[in-house]
Amino acid sequence: MATVTPDTSAPHVTEHAVTVSAPASAVYDLIADVSAWPQVFGPTVHVEVIEEAPETGGEQLLRIWAIANEQVRTWTSRRVLDPEARSITFRQVVPAAPVASMGGAWRLEPVDDGTTRVVLLHDYRAVGDDPAAEELIEQAVDRNSRAELAALKNAAELGEARDELHFTFSDSETIAGAAGDVYAFLDRADLWPERLPHVARLDLTEDEPGIQHMDMDTRSLDGSLHNTTSVRVCFEDRRMIVYKQLRVPVAMSGHTGRWVIESLGDGTVRATSWHTVTLDPEGVRSALGPDATLAEARALVRKALGTNSGTTLRHAKQFAEDTRAGT
């Protein structure tokens, strides 16, 4: 893979910075681990590593889905990790219009008092050097850079406590039906209010195939309604849907997940719902009381999310098995 260098000839160069009360090594690890980006960075919905060559200096080719100016954009970026210099350079290989070129770098500067100054650089060019497009890009870069640096600061300053706040779990169903029918049930979330007992209302928009925006009211066991908004990226060819909640319950600071459908080779499939949650300590105390523990919060969140996803899986199972039976 080719090396990545900043484009000093780009017509637009920006710099954003923040000081983080955490060691540079801990901050660097958060930036380097792209699997955690959707949970750490608000704008990031999903990231996949397409190629990786650690033997040549930690080069990676990434596919990124992120929110910019309230729309989900996707692009391919190449980046080079340099842990010794505590820097990561990146450049979009396949930009998303109206971006013609985009690149930059993360630079971490340890400070004598034990803090770290994080500098995020961007250089960019708009398609056709269009002024209106340049303004849109500038707004998106500024908004996302500020949000990412604030989120990075928050995550890094949690230190070891972050491990207690962050957890992943899953629920599965084995289904005697076709993977395509299970996927269709999960994909057509607009039909969930008539198919799922816990979904009271759901507004779904799909500006482009496979990118869904959801505004949903779910009904708890006590009858109360809870509103969430989410973005979903649907991979029909891989029988997978990933999502990120943009509006989360008060006890959480982040919630991402995915639906995965796998063939078991005997005419059945396994459908699995994965959840990754980061708790908000202040939100936990606000929602559950000042004496509530994180263990209690994890158990309650696990039960609430697991109950809803388990219900969805059972109805998907019934749908797929009835479809195969012709009923």
Side-chain angles (χ1 to χ4, degrees):
M1 294 202 279
T3 58
V4 177
T5 56
D7 182 5
T8 56
S9 66
H12 302 282
V13 178
T14 67
E15 176 178 321
H16 294 80
V18 70
T19 298
V20 180
S21 297
S25 58
V27 181
Y28 179 89
D29 288 345
L30 284 171
I31 303 170
D33 181 13
V34 294
S35 67
W37 280 13
Q39 208 64 27
V40 173
F41 298 126
T44 306
V45 177
H46 183 56
V47 183
E48 295 185 349
V49 179
I50 302 172
E51 297 177 19
E52 191 164 25
E55 71 282 357
T56 59
E59 297 182 26
Q60 293 178 322
L61 189 65
L62 308 176
R63 179 82 184 274
I64 300 170
W65 288 260
I67 299 170
N69 291 327
E70 301 183 355
Q71 286 188 307
V72 177
R73 306 276 185 183
T74 182
W75 62 87
T76 303
S77 282
R78 192 182 306 280
R79 70 175 193 163
V80 176
L81 294 83
D82 188 341
E84 290 188 8
R86 295 192 177 94
S87 72
I88 299 175
T89 55
F90 56 88
R91 181 148 305 280
Q92 292 186 9
V93 178
V94 182
V99 176
S101 69
M102 173 81 74
W106 294 88
R107 293 177 182 167
L108 279 62
E109 304 166 358
V111 184
D112 291 341
D113 62 1
T115 63
T116 302
R117 184 171 185 265
V118 182
V119 179
L120 177 55
L121 302 169
H122 285 91
D123 61 73
Y124 62 89
R125 182 186 300 274
V127 174
D129 295 321
D130 177 55
E134 290 171 349
E135 183 176 356
L136 284 174
I137 298 168
E138 179 184 10
Q139 291 172 356
V141 168
D142 183 65
R143 183 182 301 110
N144 283 9
S145 296
R146 292 177 187 276
E148 288 173 354
L149 288 172
L152 179 66
K153 176 181 173 69
N154 179 65
E157 291 181 350
L158 287 172
E160 295 181 358
R162 186 170 182 270
D163 293 336
E164 193 176 4
L165 298 170
H166 188 78
F167 62 104
T168 297
F169 62 91
S170 65
D171 297 287
S172 297
E173 283 281 350
T174 299
I175 301 171
D181 291 330
V182 180
Y183 177 88
F185 184 94
L186 298 173
D187 177 62
R188 289 299 306 273
D190 57 313
L191 299 178
W192 284 3
E194 59 193 71
R195 289 176 166 178
L196 298 174
H198 63 282
V199 178
R201 181 193 62 84
L202 194 150
D203 291 333
L204 183 144
T205 58
E206 194 165 9
D207 297 333
E208 58 181 280
I211 305 293
Q212 298 179 346
H213 298 258
M214 289 171 43
D215 187 316
M216 177 170 63
D217 291 335
T218 55
R219 186 179 293 105
S220 297
L221 294 176
D222 62 5
S224 60
L225 293 178
H226 300 271
N227 177 260
T228 58
T229 60
S230 305
V231 170
R232 306 205 307 176
V233 183
C234 305
F235 302 93
E236 184 175 6
D237 57 332
R238 293 153 58 182
R239 302 289 193 262
M240 181 176 75
I241 298 172
V242 300
Y243 62 87
K244 177 169 186 168
Q245 280 196 354
L246 307 180
R247 182 185 300 141
V248 295
V250 68
M252 305 180 201
S253 63
H255 175 210
T256 60
R258 65 187 186 275
W259 302 93
V260 181
I261 306 162
E262 307 164 280
S263 173
L264 299 180
D266 60 356
T268 65
V269 298
R270 180 189 296 114
T272 304
S273 168
W274 288 90
H275 296 273
T276 297
V277 173
T278 303
L279 296 175
D280 174 13
E282 292 186 9
V284 167
R285 290 189 288 270
S286 173
L288 305 180
D291 298 325
T293 67
L294 293 179
E296 291 171 336
R298 281 198 302 272
L300 287 171
V301 168
R302 171 68 176 92
K303 181 179 180 181
L305 295 179
T307 296
N308 286 349
S309 58
T311 299
T312 303
L313 287 171
R314 288 191 297 274
H315 281 75
K317 173 185 174 76
Q318 188 69 51
F319 174 83
E321 292 180 350
D322 286 350
T323 299
R324 172 172 284 182
T327 59

